C-alpha cells in the first residue's frame, strides 16, 4: 500500500491519506471524559500561580498545611471543564512523623515525587479520566494486562480513585462518583478546600474551556499502542507518518467510544535530515512522557491576546510565527469559515489554521513550559461538527478538524529551529 510505514516489529502504518476512521466502540469499561491533569513539581505554590496568571485559570481549591495535609501541597486550577492540579511533596520526615497519612491524594508518595521531578523536571504525573466505576475500570484493566500502580481507594462520599501505569512514569488515573450529579456538587475531591480572596485570581478568564487531547511521546509506538489498546479497548482515531508531516515522527491518536478522550502517541523516526524532536524530548525527559496538552478555547483570539500580554511577565512564550507566505493562501483554504478580519488576526497572533473533511482547526503552540525542552502547551479551537444528543443539547464532535496535519511541518520546523538555538553554544 502507498505510504505504508513499517518498523522493526512489523507494525504497519498506512499514513494519513489511506487511514479510514471507524469507531468500533470497543471500550472495556465506560469512560466519560477527561477529569484532571496532575503535574508533579518541586514548588506547587509558585508553579500554580504561574499557570494561573499565564492561562487565566483561577486557583479554586487547595490541600496543604493550612488544611491539615502534612504530606503534599496541591493547588487546583479550573477554567470551564479544564482542571489542572499542581502537587509537590513536603519533607518526608514531617509526613512520616504524623500519626496517619494526611494526603488528600491517597496514591501520593513523597519519595516517588522527588524521584519523578529529578528525572523529568516539571511534567505530568497523572492523566485522570472520569469513569463509571473506578474499581471496575482498574480490575478490568489489570485483567487485560495493565500494570497496576495504585489499587482502588474509596474516599469520602463514595468517591473512588485508582491508577494503572500508562507509559514511562505517567499513570492513568480513574475517578468515579456514586451518582452522576455528585461530581457537580463536590468541589474536586474530598480533602480539598475552597480557595478564596485575592490569591485565587478568581476574576481571571481567558476563554479556555477543556482539555482537547493529551499527546504522549514514547520510544516505540507499536508496543505502547498494543499495551494501551489492550486494557482500555480504545480505537485508532487518526494516524500520521514521517512522510505525512515532513518530520521525524510517526503518530497514532487513540480515542474512547464517545471520542471525548483523545490520546495521540508519537515515536521518533531516525535517519531523517533533521534530528527528530521526539528523540530530543526522550533524551531530556529521560524516557516517555507527555509532549503537549491541547487546551480548547471558546475564543482563541481572546485567549491569545490575553496570553501574549503576559508572555514576558510570568506567562508563556510562543513558538515563532510561520512566515508571511503561510497566510497568503489562507483565504482560499478557509475563507468560507473565517472572515477577512479573523484571517488577519490569525496572522497577527501567529495562529495556524487547518481543516479536514469535517471541520476547521485553529491552533498555536507555546515554547516548553519548564527548563527542559520537553512538555509544551497547545491552544486550540475547533469549528464545525456540531451534533445533538438524546436530550437535544448541542455538542461538538471530538477531534473536529483533525490534528493539524497540514500544520505539522510548520510546527516541527519551528521546534527544530528553537532546539538548534539550544544546541549552538553547546556545540561551540
Amino acid at each position: 500500500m502507498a505510504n505504508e510505514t513499517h518498523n522493526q516489529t512489523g507494525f504497519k502504518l498506512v499514513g494519513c491519506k489511506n487511514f479510514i476512521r471507524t469507531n468500533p466502540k470497543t471500550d472495556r469499561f465506560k469512560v466519560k471524559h477527561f477529569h484532571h491533569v496532575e503535574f508533579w513539581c518541586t514548588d506547587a505554590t509558585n508553579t500554580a500561580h504561574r499557570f494561573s496568571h499565564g492561562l487565566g485559570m483561577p486557583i479554586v481549591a487547595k490541600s496543604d498545611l493550612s488544611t491539615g495535609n502534612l504530606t503534599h501541597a496541591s493547588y487546583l486550577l479550573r477554567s470551564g471543564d479544564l482542571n489542572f492540579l499542581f502537587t509537590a511533596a513536603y519533607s518526608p520526615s514531617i509526613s512520616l512523623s504524623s500519626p496517619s497519612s494526611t494526603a488528600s491524594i491517597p496514591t501520593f508518595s513523597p519519595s516517588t515525587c522527588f524521584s519523578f521531578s529529578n528525572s523529568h523536571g516539571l511534567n505530568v504525573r497523572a492523566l485522570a479520566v472520569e469513569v463509571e466505576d473506578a474499581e471496575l475500570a482498574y480490575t478490568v484493566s489489570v485483567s487485560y494486562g495493565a500494570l497496576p500502580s495504585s489499587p482502588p481507594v474509596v474516599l469520602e462520599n463514595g468517591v473512588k480513585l485508582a491508577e494503572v501505569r500508562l507509559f514511562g512514569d505517567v499513570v492513568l488515573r480513574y475517578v468515579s462518583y456514586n451518582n452522576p450529579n455528585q461530581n457537580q456538587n463536590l468541589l474536586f475531591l474530598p480533602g480539598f478546600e475552597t480557595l478564596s480572596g485575592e490569591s485565587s485570581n478568581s476574576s481571571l478568564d481567558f476563554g479556555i474551556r477543556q482539555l482537547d487531547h493529551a499527546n504522549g511521546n514514547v520510544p516505540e509506538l507499536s508496543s505502547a499502542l498494543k499495551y494501551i489498546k489492550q486494557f482500555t479497548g480504545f480505537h485508532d482515531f487518526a494516524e500520521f507518518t514521517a512522510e505525512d508531516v515532513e518530520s521525524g515522527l510517526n503518530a497514532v491518536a487513540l480515542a474512547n467510544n464517545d471520542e471525548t478522550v483523545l490520546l495521540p502517541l508519537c515515536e521518533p523516526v531516525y535517519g531523517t535530515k533533521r534530528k527528530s524532536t521526539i528523540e530530543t524530548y526522550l533524551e531530556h525527559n529521560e524516557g516517555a512522557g507527555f509532549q503537549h496538552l491541547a487546551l480548547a478555547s471558546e475564543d482563541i483570539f481572546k485567549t491569545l491576546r490575553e496570553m501574549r500580554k503576559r508572555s514576558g511577565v510570568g506567562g508563556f512564550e510562543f513558538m515563532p510565527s510561520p512566515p508571511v507566505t503561510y497566510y497568503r493562501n489562507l483565504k482560499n483554504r478557509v475563507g468560507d469559515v473565517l472572515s477577512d478580519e479573523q484571517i488577519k488576526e490569525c496572522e497577527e497572533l501567529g495562529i495556524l489554521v487547518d481543516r479536514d473533511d469535517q471541520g476547521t482547526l485553529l491552533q498555536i503552540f507555546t515554547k516548553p513550559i519548564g527548563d527542559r525542552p520537553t512538555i509544551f502547551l497547545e491552544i486550540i479551537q475547533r469549528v464545525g461538527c456540531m451534533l445533538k444528543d438524546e436530550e437535544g443539547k448541542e455538542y461538538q464532535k471530538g477531534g473536529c478538524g483533525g490534528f493539524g496535519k497540514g500544520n505539522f511541518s510548520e510546527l516541527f520546523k519551528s521546534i527544530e529551529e528553537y532546539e538548534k538555538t539550544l544546541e549552538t553554544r553547546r556545540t561551540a
Side-chain angles (χ1 to χ4, degrees):
M1 183 177 287
N3 200 32
E4 191 172 271
T5 299
H6 299 251
N7 67 10
Q8 294 178 350
T9 65
F11 173 66
K12 297 179 182 179
L13 294 174
V14 298
C16 181
K17 292 181 180 179
N18 296 305
F19 179 79
I20 299 173
R21 185 182 295 175
T22 58
N23 185 353
K25 298 196 173 182
T26 49
D27 286 1
R28 304 284 190 195
F29 43 87
K30 175 63 177 177
V31 178
K32 297 181 178 181
H33 46 70
F34 289 117
H35 189 271
H36 67 272
V37 177
E38 184 178 25
F39 293 81
W40 274 3
C41 50
T42 56
D43 184 342
T45 300
N46 286 297
T47 308
H49 277 281
R50 188 261 179 119
F51 275 73
S52 175
H53 171 75
L55 293 174
M57 297 180 66
I59 307 174
V60 299
K62 64 178 180 178
S63 176
D64 57 13
L65 293 174
S66 69
T67 67
N69 186 342
L70 304 179
T71 308
H72 60 83
S74 289
Y75 302 101
L76 178 72
L77 278 59
R78 176 175 292 155
S79 186
D81 293 325
L82 176 65
N83 292 298
F84 273 178
L85 183 65
F86 295 90
T87 297
Y90 286 126
S91 167
S93 60
I94 295 176
S95 61
L96 290 174
S97 64
S98 59
S100 59
S101 176
T102 59
S104 56
I105 304 293
T107 58
F108 182 80
S109 161
S111 60
T112 306
C113 183
F114 289 133
S115 175
F116 182 95
S117 296
N118 185 57
S119 293
H120 311 299
L122 173 63
N123 214 317
V124 173
R125 163 61 176 181
L127 178 68
V129 293
E130 184 177 340
V131 296
E132 199 166 68
D133 186 329
E135 187 171 4
L136 176 65
Y138 175 88
T139 302
V140 171
S141 295
V142 172
S143 71
Y144 279 96
L147 299 174
S149 178
S150 295
V153 178
V154 181
L155 308 176
E156 292 178 27
N157 303 314
V159 178
K160 296 179 183 177
L161 189 148
E163 295 172 359
V164 296
R165 302 194 72 85
L166 190 59
F167 44 69
D169 288 329
V170 179
V171 298
L172 180 62
R173 177 176 292 163
Y174 300 133
V175 179
S176 66
Y177 299 88
N178 267 343
N179 61 71
N181 297 322
Q182 192 176 9
N183 185 11
Q184 300 174 6
N185 298 330
L186 279 174
L187 177 66
F188 177 56
L189 292 174
F192 280 78
E193 296 182 9
T194 302
L195 188 69
S196 58
E198 292 182 5
S199 61
S200 69
N201 294 332
S202 59
S203 62
L204 290 179
D205 183 2
F206 297 173
I208 294 172
R209 291 295 173 259
Q210 65 184 33
L211 180 63
D212 183 271
H213 61 270
N215 194 118
N217 283 351
V218 296
E220 200 272 312
L221 192 56
S222 63
S223 58
L225 286 173
K226 181 180 178 181
Y227 169 70
I228 296 172
K229 290 170 70 174
Q230 183 171 296
F231 77 80
T232 62
F234 286 5
H235 62 275
D236 292 353
F237 183 84
E239 180 180 303
F240 305 101
T241 66
E243 290 78 13
D244 289 323
V245 297
E246 300 178 25
S247 192
L249 66 90
N250 293 321
V252 173
L254 300 178
N256 66 325
N257 280 0
D258 295 336
E259 298 182 341
T260 52
V261 173
L262 301 177
L263 183 64
L265 299 175
C266 297
E267 71 172 357
V269 172
Y270 301 95
T272 55
K273 60 182 179 180
R274 295 188 297 265
K275 181 179 179 180
S276 171
T277 61
I278 313 302
E279 184 182 356
T280 299
Y281 174 99
L282 294 171
E283 290 172 352
H284 283 273
N285 192 62
E286 296 191 358
F290 277 110
Q291 179 208 49
H292 73 266
L293 303 173
L295 315 183
S297 169
E298 65 179 10
D299 182 349
I300 195 170
F301 303 115
K302 171 188 174 181
T303 302
L304 263 292
R305 285 193 297 267
E306 294 295 335
M307 287 185 67
R308 284 194 177 278
K309 285 179 187 176
R310 294 158 174 78
S311 289
V313 284
F316 298 94
E317 296 183 40
F318 290 88
M319 285 294 177
S321 299
V324 176
T325 52
Y326 174 87
Y327 294 97
R328 286 179 183 168
N329 296 320
L330 204 54
K331 185 171 183 177
N332 293 332
R333 290 168 49 209
V334 295
D336 59 327
V337 178
L338 301 180
S339 66
D340 290 350
E341 183 179 345
Q342 289 173 321
I343 291 174
K344 182 180 179 182
E345 200 161 9
C346 284
E347 184 173 0
E348 291 173 352
L349 294 170
I351 297 171
L352 301 169
V353 185
D354 199 31
R355 70 188 305 174
D356 63 9
D357 58 329
Q358 297 182 338
T360 303
L361 170 74
L362 290 79
Q363 60 185 160
I364 190 169
F365 302 86
T366 71
K367 290 181 179 180
I369 59 177
D371 298 324
R372 309 184 191 197
T374 53
I375 186 171
F376 55 91
L377 301 174
E378 174 183 0
I379 307 300
I380 189 172
Q381 184 175 357
R382 299 184 183 276
V383 182
C385 312
M386 301 307 295
L387 303 171
K388 289 186 177 181
D389 61 19
E390 297 175 352
E391 299 175 354
K393 185 179 179 181
E394 199 171 48
Y395 69 97
Q396 189 176 52
K397 183 180 179 182
C400 178
F403 288 89
K405 179 252 175 190
N407 294 328
F408 263 72
S409 183
E410 287 296 334
L411 164 64
F412 285 100
K413 282 177 186 175
S414 69
I415 295 176
E416 287 154 0
E417 289 302 314
Y418 170 73
E419 289 177 352
K420 282 180 185 178
T421 67
L422 305 180
E423 296 288 336
T424 301
R425 181 162 293 187
R426 189 175 74 177
T427 304

